[in-house]
Amino acid sequence: MENKFEKALNGMWDKLDGWFNTFVANLPNIILAIVVFIIAVFVSRYIKKLTYKLASRSSLQDSMKQLLAQIVATATILLGLFLVLGILNLGKALNTILAGAGVAGLAVGLALQGALANTYSGIILSYVKQLKFGDWVETNNFEGEVIDIDLRVVTIKQIDNNLVYIPNKMVVENPIKNYSKTAQSRVILECGVAYDSDLEMVRNLVKKTIVENFKAVEKKDDILFLYREFGDSSINFETRFWINSTSALEVAKAKTEAMIQIKAKFDEHGIEIPFPIRTLHIPKPLSIAKEV
C-alpha cells in the first residue's frame, strides 16, 4: 500500500514538474500575450472615444453613436484575444472556441428573440429621421416628449411628467404621430349655444375673440368655424385655429384660454351656453280637488 502511494505521489510530482518546465519554457510567450492583451484593452478605449467623436460629426442619434463606438471597441478586444491565442500556440483551442461560439450563439439567439428584436429596432430608430430627441409624439396610445432612445426602449415623458418606456419593437411596428414635424398645432374647441341665439353674431364673436388673443391667427379667415348639429338643448358648433407650438401641453393651454375668453364674451353679449334641460308638456290643465 505504501509503495502504491509513493508511486502515485512521484507520478504527481513528475506531472507538476513537467507543467512547471512547460510554463518556464513558455514564460516569454505568456508575458508577451499579457502585454498584447493589456495593449488591446487600452487601444480599444482610445478607439471607442475616437469613434464616438467621429460619429458626433454625423446626424446619427446619440444611441447609435454609442453603439458604433462599443462595437468597434469590442472588435478591437476580440482581435487582441485572437493574437494572444496565436502567441500561446492555442490554435486548436481557438477552433474549439469558434465552434462552441457558433452553437452557443444559436442557442442564445433563440432564447433572446424578443431582446434581439428590440435591439435591431433600436438600431433602426437611430437612423429614422422622423423621430429624434425632443420630439412630441403619440404611439401605442401614449403621448409625450421623446427624451431617450436606446437599444431596448424609447423613453417618453408624458404631460404629467411621468416616464413611459416603450419597447423599440412596438414603436417600429405601430404608427407614430409626430407633432414636432410642423411649426404649428391646431386647437379644436367644441361648444353649444341656446336656440334663441343669433348664430351669425355667435360666429363673428368667436372668430373676433380668437383673433384678439392668439398671435398665430392673423385674420378671421384663418379660423374654421362650423355648426355641427341641432342638439337636444343647444346648437353645437366647432371652431379650429392654429397656434405657434407643437407641444400638446401648449395646445391644452391655448384651448383653456380660448374657453375663458369666449365664455366672457358670451356673458358680455347675453349669449347662453345651455345645460341639458327637459321640458314637460301637459295636454290639459290639472284640476286639484278641494277637500270639503
Side-chain angles (χ1 to χ4, degrees):
M1 184 68 180
E2 292 181 0
N3 292 334
K4 291 182 179 180
F5 179 76
E6 185 177 355
K7 185 178 180 180
L9 185 61
N10 291 332
M12 183 184 69
W13 282 112
D14 291 339
K15 180 69 69 175
L16 291 174
D17 185 62
W19 287 352
F20 180 75
N21 292 332
T22 303
F23 174 76
V24 172
N26 291 288
L27 186 59
N29 290 343
I30 294 174
I31 295 176
L32 180 60
I34 294 174
V35 172
V36 169
F37 182 75
I38 293 174
I39 292 175
V41 171
F42 281 100
V43 170
S44 68
R45 293 179 180 177
Y46 174 76
I47 291 180
K48 181 178 180 180
K49 294 180 180 179
L50 180 61
T51 303
Y52 185 83
K53 185 176 181 180
L54 294 175
S56 298
R57 300 178 181 177
S58 66
S59 59
L60 294 176
Q61 296 191 20
D62 189 65
S63 58
M64 192 61 192
K65 298 173 187 176
Q66 295 178 359
L67 175 63
L68 288 175
Q70 188 63 45
I71 290 176
V72 173
T74 304
T76 304
I77 293 178
L78 290 177
L79 179 60
L81 287 176
F82 290 153
L83 292 175
V84 167
L85 292 174
I87 293 172
L88 296 176
N89 296 320
L90 297 176
K92 293 183 179 180
L94 178 60
N95 294 334
T96 303
I97 291 174
L98 291 176
V103 176
L106 179 61
V108 171
L110 293 175
L112 300 177
Q113 286 182 345
L116 292 176
N118 285 326
T119 300
Y120 177 72
S121 300
I123 295 174
I124 293 177
L125 290 175
S126 297
Y127 279 108
V128 172
K129 296 181 180 180
Q130 288 77 17
L131 185 67
K132 62 181 185 298
F133 295 166
D135 285 354
W136 192 278
V137 301
E138 180 181 348
T139 178
N140 293 278
N141 296 322
F142 294 102
E143 182 179 338
E145 179 187 358
V146 178
I147 62 172
D148 190 23
I149 302 175
D150 58 28
L151 296 180
R152 190 176 65 87
V153 297
V154 174
T155 304
I156 292 178
K157 180 185 286 187
Q158 294 184 296
I159 193 172
D160 56 4
N161 210 37
N162 288 325
L163 299 181
V164 179
Y165 304 94
I166 307 176
N168 294 331
K169 181 181 178 181
M170 296 179 63
V171 178
V172 171
E173 293 180 348
N174 291 283
I176 303 175
K177 182 186 288 187
N178 194 332
Y179 295 94
S180 300
K181 286 304 173 183
T182 56
Q184 294 180 322
S185 295
R186 171 166 279 180
V187 180
I188 302 176
L189 178 63
E190 297 177 350
C191 187
V193 293
Y195 271 87
D196 59 355
S197 303
D198 185 338
L199 300 185
E200 187 66 29
M201 184 180 72
V202 169
R203 180 171 61 183
N204 293 332
L205 189 61
V206 169
K207 286 188 174 184
K208 180 181 178 182
T209 303
I210 293 175
V211 170
E212 292 175 350
N213 289 276
F214 296 94
K215 296 181 179 179
V217 183
E218 298 179 355
K219 53 185 178 179
K220 292 183 179 181
D221 293 339
D222 296 335
I223 303 170
L224 180 63
F225 184 98
L226 301 170
Y227 283 107
R228 306 297 296 181
E229 62 178 351
F230 292 100
D232 294 336
S233 57
S234 63
I235 299 178
N236 300 322
F237 67 85
E238 176 183 286
T239 183
R240 302 182 180 187
F241 60 94
W242 296 95
I243 62 171
N244 293 325
S245 176
T246 58
S247 169
L249 178 60
E250 294 301 320
V251 172
K253 290 180 178 179
K255 187 174 182 178
T256 300
E257 183 64 23
M259 292 174 66
I260 294 173
Q261 297 299 330
I262 291 174
K263 176 65 167 57
K265 288 295 183 180
F266 281 2
D267 291 343
E268 181 182 340
H269 291 79
I271 298 174
E272 180 185 0
I273 302 177
F275 52 84
I277 60 175
R278 176 174 295 179
T279 303
L280 298 179
H281 293 278
I282 302 175
K284 295 181 180 180
L286 291 178
S287 58
I288 301 175
K290 296 182 180 181
E291 294 183 358
V292 179

